[in-house]
Every structure is written in C-alpha cells, then in structure tokens.
Amino acid sequence: MYGCRFQRRAQRWVRTNHGLASPTQVSNEALVNLRLVSLLLGIFLLLQSAAAAQTKPIRRILVLNETGTSSPGINLIDQGIRTSFDNSPYKIEFYLEYMETTLFPDPADQRRFREFYLRKYANRRPDVIITVGPAPLRFMIEAHQRSFPGVPVVFCLPNNVVPGRPEVGSDFTGVEGAIEPLETLDAATRLNPATRRVVVVAGTSPFDKEMLLAVKERLRSYTGPLEFSYLTDLDMPTLLERLKHLSGQTIVLQLGVARDAAGTRFASGTESAPMIAAAATVPVFSLVDVFFNHGEVGGKIFSLAEDGKVAGGLALRILNGERPQEIPIVQGGSRYMFDWRALKRWGLKEKNLPPGSIVINRPLSVWEAYKWYIIAGISLFLLQTLLIVALLWHRKKRKRAEAVLRESEGRFRRVANSAPVFIWMAGPDQSCTYVNQQWLDFTGRKEEEEVGTGWADGIHTDDLENALATYSEAFHRRQPFTMEYRLRRHDGVYRWILDTGAPIVNPDGSFSGYIGSAIDVTGRKLAEEALASIGGRLIAAQEEERTRIARELHDDINQQMAFLAISLDETRLHPPDSAVEMRKRSETFLKQASDISKSIQALSHRLHSSKLEYFGLVNAMQGFSHEFSDQHHVEIRFSHEQVPDSVPREVSLCLFRVMQAALSNAMKHSGVK
C-alpha cells in the first residue's frame, strides 16, 4: 500500500519535473528510475515492518506433554495454553515435547527420552516450563535443580491424582483438574432414580490408570445405595460385548480407554469413546469434555481446554514478574453439561437436570432456525405497511394542505383588500404577482396593469431610478428594505409613499419572493417641512441651555474641584506635622468633596427630577427646596394649596422649571438668607 502510494507521488514528481501531462508521456529513463525507487522503498518498508514486529521481547516456553498429539485431550490443553497468550506483550516461542507414556511405557525408553530432553535444552534455557500430566511433573521434580535451576515450572494435572503426588518445590505452581464423579452420579440418579448399579469403564494405559485411580479415590467417600463394578482389564471386543448385555437399572461411567488389555491403542476421545457410547444398552455418563458428545448423556464435565488456559495464565503471570511461590495452586473448573439427543434416547427428563446445566445438540425450533428470516419478513411487511400508510397519510395531508392553502389565500386576499394600507407580493424574479384593492383604488388601474413591472409606471420620474435600484439590490441580497417615492394617484396628483418589503423564506430555507406594504406619508412630509422652520429655534434654545449648564459647571463645580485639587496638592507637598492637623485637613477635604457632590446632585435635579416623575409635582418641589436650602445655606419655606394629585407631565415640568429659576435668581440677586 505504501509502495503504491509512493509510486503515485513519484509519478507526479516525474511528470512535473519533466514537463509532461500524463504517465504515458514519461520517458523510459524516468520510468526505470521510478520503478527502482519504488522497489527500494518497498524493501525498506518490509525491513521496517519486520523490525517493528520484533520489538516485542521474546520469551521461550517449554511444554512437556504426557502423551502425543494423537490424544485429543493434549490438543485441547495445548489450545487453551496458546489462547492465554493471545494478548501478551511478548513474542512467545513454544517448544512442544511429548513423553508418549502410552506408546512407550518401558522405563528404559522413558529414561532415554528424558536424557534427550536434558541435552536438547542444556544450552537453550526456557523462561517457563509447563508440564501436562503426572509423568512430566515427576520428571521436572527430579531434574529441576540439576538441569533447570531457577526456571519456574507450571504443572497441569488433568486427573488430579491425590495418592502419591510428589511434593513440589518453591519454583512450582500449577492447576489441578477437578474431576467430580460424585456430582456426576448425583445428577445421574436425579435423571434416572431407578439406577442401582454403576459400571466404570477404563483402559490399561498409564494415563487410563491415573484417571481410574483418581476416580476411585473420590468414590471412597460415597455412602449411597449404588453398587460399583469395574470393566478395566478387557480387550475392546470383549468390553463392547459386555456393554451390550447390561441390565436396565445400570449406568456406565466412562473414564476413557487409550489402550485395552490386548495392547491395542485408541484415541480416547475420537475412537474408544464413540464405540463405548454406541455399544452400551444403558446411559453412559462422562467426566471430561474429551469423552463427551459422542452419544454420552453427560455429567459434571471437566474442561481440558480451560485447564490449559488456566495453566497458560499462570505462566504469563510469571513472565510478568510474579514469583511461583506467590501464586497458589488452583483447581480447574467443571460444569454440568448434557447431550439433548442422549436424554431423548434414554427417556431422561430435562426438567430433572441440575440448575444451570448446559444442554448441547438441542434441535433448533422453527423460531431459532428461521429467526432472522422471520424477523426480516416481518420487518419487510411492516416496512411496506408503514410505507403504504405513509403514502396514504401524505396524500391526505397534501389534499388537506391544498385546501388549507386555498382557504388561506382566500382569507389573505380578503384581509389584504380590507386593510387600510397598500399590500403587494413579488416572486423570486422581482416580478409583482399581487396588489390589493387599496392599491388599485389609489392608482385607478386594473390588477393586470399593475402586476409584473406595471407597478413602476406610476412612480415619479425623479424617483423611479432610485426606487428600482433599491428594489433590485434588496432582491439580490434578500434583505428587508424601505424606500420612499412619489406615486401618481388616480386624479393625477403625486403622493409620497413609504414602501417596506421583506423576503419570504420557506421552511426548507428556499427563497420564494417578497411581501410588502406601503402607506401614504404625504401628510407626514408636509408636517416635516412645517417643523423644519422651527428646528432652528429649537436648536438655539438647546444651545442656550447647554451654555447655561456649562457656565454653572465652570463657575461653581469646576472652581470647587480646582480648589480641592490645590488643597490636596499642597498637602502632598507640605504634609502636616501632626495627626491632629492631618485629621482637620482630611475633614476639610471630605466636606469639599461632599459640597461638590451636592452641587452635582442639585444640577442633576435641575436638569431632570426623578421625583417629579415618580412622586408628583408637590413632592418634587418640596424635595428640591430642601436640597437647595442645604446647598446654599438659606431658609426656604414651601407651602401649597389645592394642587391636584394628577397634573399633566408637561404642566408639572413647566412649573418645576419656573420654581428652579425663581430660587436661583432669588439666591443670586436678593442678598438675603
């Protein structure tokens, strides 16, 4: 991928630097260079990928198995071990060895195997050793200190043989299988309460004997009414014949036959187990998953794959830094599993299974077999139904909308024609599509004469160009507009019109034109012209008032501020010697600032009294008298008689201004207190 991407970029570079327009025009020399560069880049990327793949640290794991790969149990355990390293931070190198105790049980052969393994790994020290089965564990216990000192050992004992299991050192930990024949027998008697006898079937290989020994050890604690017999020292034909003649109150507990009494070897899970299940005339129960799903009823099944997964997990913990002596020996897990076909074959009721049991090979119901087809069919049917309903609803909605639209248009025309203003509409192409009756009455023309561009025929020639420019610019920008122009009335008189338009935007955001209204503003225009003559006088009065305010600010407040600034600067340059003098000056400054504040407040009240607005004329006059008295230190006596509670605002303001001017003049010119 990267090489192709680079090649495309290189082709573009060659075309650019050679002045060519397409790859077919690239020179032969440029193409050769291009392929060479692409090849070198590909080799570089491959080397880089290989280097990246080797960034994980390498860890070596030696797995010593009891038997070879012909045993399904060994394959399941190996699968579980490998699964536990799927997401490990290491690149794992597995070294698999098989002691083949079933094929080569002779002690001399086993000794030669062991010596070979010791020589083989003398100079290739593993990081962790995993033993599967009792023989590899015993081998490691004997040779560990001498040949693999300090190498952690994780053992996996599917049979969990308690008698004679050797003691392990501090470098050992592991998982022991939890085969549970008592729980399996309890489940068997619940399914078939008439059971009185149990026939235990096993072979003669060391592995078979280990399994048989483990089962017998656990059955010692059994105190129930069942009788036990063992078919363990028979050749396969004789064993199968015996199984064909078992009585009705009997069940078979199969432990697996890897080798019969005649020395014939079998793959326990794929050869002997199916033959035993097919030959038995009574239900066959199992303890290990490798001896299940060949016609056996089931039982408390121990999972070899899960056992291997646990062992691999312990090895990974050791690789991550934990010490074996810190990891306790764990027990493998088992669960109730049963074959639905075997239950039906022997007439065993599923309701009598232990709670939480797993039932395999159950035939799928119609729903389970065709669930997705049924769901897809129902979904398709519902979808079609919804589409039909939606189409019908949409059709009905469209008809209703059309009726509503017609009614709305009619109502709009009635409202527009009765409105006291001119109303017009235009499409996206700026062409007028509608004018109301008021417009037609004003112009004295017919509607077909006004629509399109006919509405502009009545505009005064001096205003036409500006009006059309404003109109077109608004359509171009799709923004509201307002314009004034003179429009010819039906009697030939031109009247001033104020026209306002706004764009029409549909719910989907599309633009569909403009709607506008216009009114006759000739009266307003005449009033504006009349008011223009008194505008100068109003401006002169405003300027006179501003001059008076400026003079008062300059002669009174500004002088007070200047005096305060001079006093403060004098204090800064010549600070007083005593705290008493400093306090006096501070009080003087505070009084001056307070007087300035009062002067500003008085000026504010003279400009506008909020009391006049909120408390009325009498309260505003009385409040101003108090403030004026405090400010200028004069005595003012205020009285009022028969003043209405509600005085028009204009009258109140005039009377208030008269009182302000009178007090100011009296203060300036009377010379009294």
Side-chain angles (χ1 to χ4, degrees):
M1 179 181 69
Y2 295 104
C4 294
R5 186 182 303 168
F6 175 81
Q7 187 172 5
R8 289 194 296 271
R9 293 180 179 176
Q11 288 174 350
R12 290 197 297 269
W13 179 87
V14 171
R15 291 197 300 270
T16 302
N17 287 275
H18 287 263
L20 301 178
S22 65
T24 58
Q25 298 172 330
V26 180
S27 64
N28 293 333
E29 181 181 356
L31 287 176
V32 170
N33 293 335
L34 175 62
R35 293 191 182 99
L36 179 59
V37 171
S38 300
L39 178 61
L40 293 176
L41 178 63
I43 296 174
F44 171 75
L45 292 175
L46 288 175
L47 294 176
Q48 190 177 28
S49 301
Q54 294 180 356
T55 55
K56 286 186 176 183
I58 297 176
R59 295 293 183 268
R60 302 186 183 97
I61 295 181
L62 172 61
V63 182
L64 288 175
N65 294 283
E66 176 92 14
T67 59
T69 55
S70 60
S71 171
I74 292 298
N75 295 327
L76 289 175
I77 293 174
D78 181 68
Q79 177 184 351
I81 292 174
R82 292 177 180 272
T83 300
S84 62
F85 290 96
D86 286 345
N87 298 317
S88 72
Y90 310 105
K91 181 181 179 181
I92 303 299
E93 293 183 355
F94 286 100
Y95 300 91
L96 305 179
E97 304 293 351
Y98 306 94
M99 299 186 67
E100 295 287 6
T101 57
T102 300
L103 296 177
F104 304 97
D106 186 270
D109 293 336
Q110 289 298 312
R111 185 171 58 255
R112 284 190 287 271
F113 284 159
R114 296 183 182 190
E115 292 173 354
F116 169 72
Y117 296 147
L118 294 178
R119 290 194 304 271
K120 182 177 181 180
Y121 295 99
N123 296 321
R124 195 165 186 81
R125 178 186 176 93
D127 295 291
V128 177
I129 299 174
I130 299 178
T131 65
V132 180
L137 175 59
R138 286 193 290 267
F139 169 41
M140 273 298 107
I141 293 175
E142 296 171 1
H144 181 261
Q145 292 298 331
R146 181 179 70 257
S147 301
F148 302 100
V151 177
V153 178
V154 177
F155 60 82
C156 178
L157 292 176
N159 295 342
N160 191 14
V161 182
V162 175
R165 177 168 66 81
E167 294 294 333
V168 296
S170 60
D171 289 332
F172 287 71
T173 187
V175 55
E176 296 179 336
I179 52 176
E180 303 181 48
L182 295 178
E183 288 76 0
T184 299
L185 293 178
D186 179 66
T189 55
R190 290 177 61 179
L191 289 169
N192 188 8
T195 302
R196 294 294 178 266
R197 289 177 296 278
V198 178
V199 174
V200 180
V201 175
T204 61
S205 71
F207 190 82
D208 297 335
K209 292 179 180 180
E210 294 283 358
M211 176 70 79
L212 179 61
L213 182 62
V215 171
K216 284 185 176 181
E217 181 64 26
R218 283 160 177 75
L219 291 179
R220 287 182 182 179
S221 60
Y222 180 75
T223 58
L226 298 178
E227 299 177 0
F228 292 90
S229 61
Y230 295 88
L231 299 179
T232 57
D233 295 320
L234 303 174
D235 58 73
M236 183 59 71
T238 304
L239 173 62
L240 298 179
E241 189 65 25
R242 294 279 295 272
L243 292 175
K244 293 177 181 178
H245 298 87
L246 295 177
S247 61
Q249 296 180 328
T250 304
I251 63 171
V252 173
L253 183 61
Q254 179 187 193
L255 307 184
V257 178
R259 187 180 65 190
D260 63 3
T264 305
R265 294 179 176 84
F266 302 91
S268 301
T270 57
E271 294 180 352
S272 63
M275 289 189 293
I276 293 171
T281 56
V282 295
V284 178
F285 290 82
S286 303
L287 301 178
V288 184
D289 55 357
V290 74
F291 308 136
F292 179 55
N293 197 22
H294 312 100
E296 300 88 351
V297 176
K300 191 69 175 290
I301 302 298
F302 169 68
S303 173
L304 293 175
E306 187 64 26
D307 211 35
K309 188 175 181 179
V310 174
L314 297 178
L316 181 59
R317 290 172 61 183
I318 293 173
L319 292 179
N320 289 334
E322 295 187 52
R323 295 185 299 175
Q325 53 268 36
E326 297 173 350
I327 304 176
I329 297 174
V330 297
Q331 294 290 326
S334 55
R335 51 190 173 178
Y336 286 106
M337 297 181 66
F338 298 90
D339 190 333
W340 184 88
R341 297 171 304 183
L343 292 175
K344 294 301 178 182
R345 175 188 176 187
W346 303 112
L348 305 178
K349 296 181 179 180
E350 191 173 340
K351 66 179 183 179
N352 294 329
L353 294 177
S357 297
I358 298 174
V359 179
I360 65 172
N361 297 324
R362 187 199 306 273
L364 298 177
S365 63
V366 175
W367 169 252
E368 292 173 333
Y370 303 100
K371 175 174 64 176
W372 297 114
Y373 295 99
I374 295 173
I375 292 175
I378 294 175
S379 300
L380 182 60
F381 174 76
L382 291 177
L383 179 60
Q384 291 177 339
T385 303
L386 290 175
L387 288 175
I388 294 173
V389 171
L391 290 173
L392 294 175
W393 176 79
H394 181 71
R395 181 181 178 184
K396 183 177 180 181
K397 182 179 178 182
R398 185 183 63 184
K399 290 184 176 181
R400 187 186 301 114
E402 291 174 351
V404 171
L405 180 61
R406 288 192 296 270
E407 181 183 356
S408 176
E409 288 179 351
R411 185 164 54 249
F412 170 77
R413 287 181 175 270
R414 290 192 296 271
V415 171
N417 289 332
S418 62
V421 297
F422 307 154
I423 297 177
W424 58 270
M425 296 181 67
D429 59 352
Q430 304 184 22
S431 177
C432 181
T433 59
Y434 168 78
V435 291
N436 70 340
Q437 191 62 41
Q438 295 292 340
W439 185 291
L440 298 177
D441 293 342
F442 181 86
T443 61
R445 287 153 57 95
K446 297 180 181 179
E447 184 174 1
E448 54 268 21
E449 294 177 311
E450 295 291 335
V451 297
T453 59
W455 62 276
D457 295 341
I459 298 178
H460 196 285
T461 54
D462 294 342
D463 304 330
L464 180 59
E465 183 178 355
N466 182 64
L468 292 179
T470 302
Y471 184 77
S472 300
E473 181 67 17
F475 267 82
H476 177 70
R477 295 181 178 274
R478 297 181 182 179
Q479 292 181 348
F481 69 90
T482 299
M483 61 181 178
E484 290 184 353
Y485 53 84
R486 284 167 288 180
L487 184 66
R488 185 177 60 246
R489 199 166 57 183
H490 58 83
D491 56 2
V493 176
Y494 282 94
R495 304 283 292 181
W496 280 102
I497 302 297
L498 176 63
D499 199 342
T500 302
I504 302 174
V505 180
N506 296 322
D508 60 357
S510 61
F511 171 68
S512 61
Y514 267 74
I515 184 171
S517 63
I519 58 175
D520 187 341
V521 294
T522 305
R524 192 198 69 186
K525 281 286 188 179
L526 296 176
E528 290 176 353
E529 293 175 358
L531 290 173
S533 62
I534 65 172
R537 286 181 289 172
L538 291 175
I539 293 173
Q542 290 177 350
E543 288 299 323
E544 183 180 354
E545 180 66 13
R546 290 192 182 100
T547 301
R548 184 187 66 81
I549 295 172
R551 184 171 55 249
E552 187 167 349
L553 288 172
H554 179 271
D555 295 344
D556 185 9
I557 297 176
N558 188 50
Q559 290 182 4
Q560 295 182 50
M561 291 291 293
F563 180 70
L564 177 59
I566 293 171
S567 300
L568 290 173
D569 187 60
E570 179 65 23
T571 301
R572 179 180 64 84
L573 297 175
H574 305 288
D577 298 332
S578 63
V580 175
E581 180 63 22
M582 187 64 190
R583 188 180 303 109
K584 289 181 180 181
R585 291 193 185 183
S586 298
E587 292 174 353
T588 301
F589 298 154
L590 181 61
K591 182 177 181 305
Q592 291 175 348
S594 178
D595 291 341
I596 294 172
S597 176
K598 290 179 180 179
S599 298
I600 295 174
Q601 185 179 18
L603 178 60
S604 173
H605 286 178
R606 288 197 295 275
L607 294 175
H608 176 74
S609 175
S610 58
K611 293 181 180 179
L612 181 64
E613 182 176 353
Y614 295 107
F615 301 109
L617 177 61
V618 173
N619 292 327
M621 284 185 169
Q622 189 173 13
F624 183 80
S625 298
H626 287 306
E627 294 173 1
F628 195 87
S629 175
D630 293 340
Q631 181 182 5
H632 298 285
H633 307 289
V634 296
E635 180 183 352
I636 300 175
R637 289 191 295 273
F638 174 83
S639 63
H640 62 92
E641 293 181 2
Q642 298 181 354
V643 180
D645 294 335
S646 177
V647 179
R649 184 175 182 276
E650 295 79 4
V651 177
S652 298
L653 183 59
C654 289
L655 293 175
F656 187 78
R657 295 303 185 197
V658 169
M659 182 202 67
Q660 285 181 321
L663 286 177
S664 297
N665 292 333
M667 179 64 194
K668 292 179 180 179
H669 307 294
S670 66
V672 298
K673 293 297 183 181

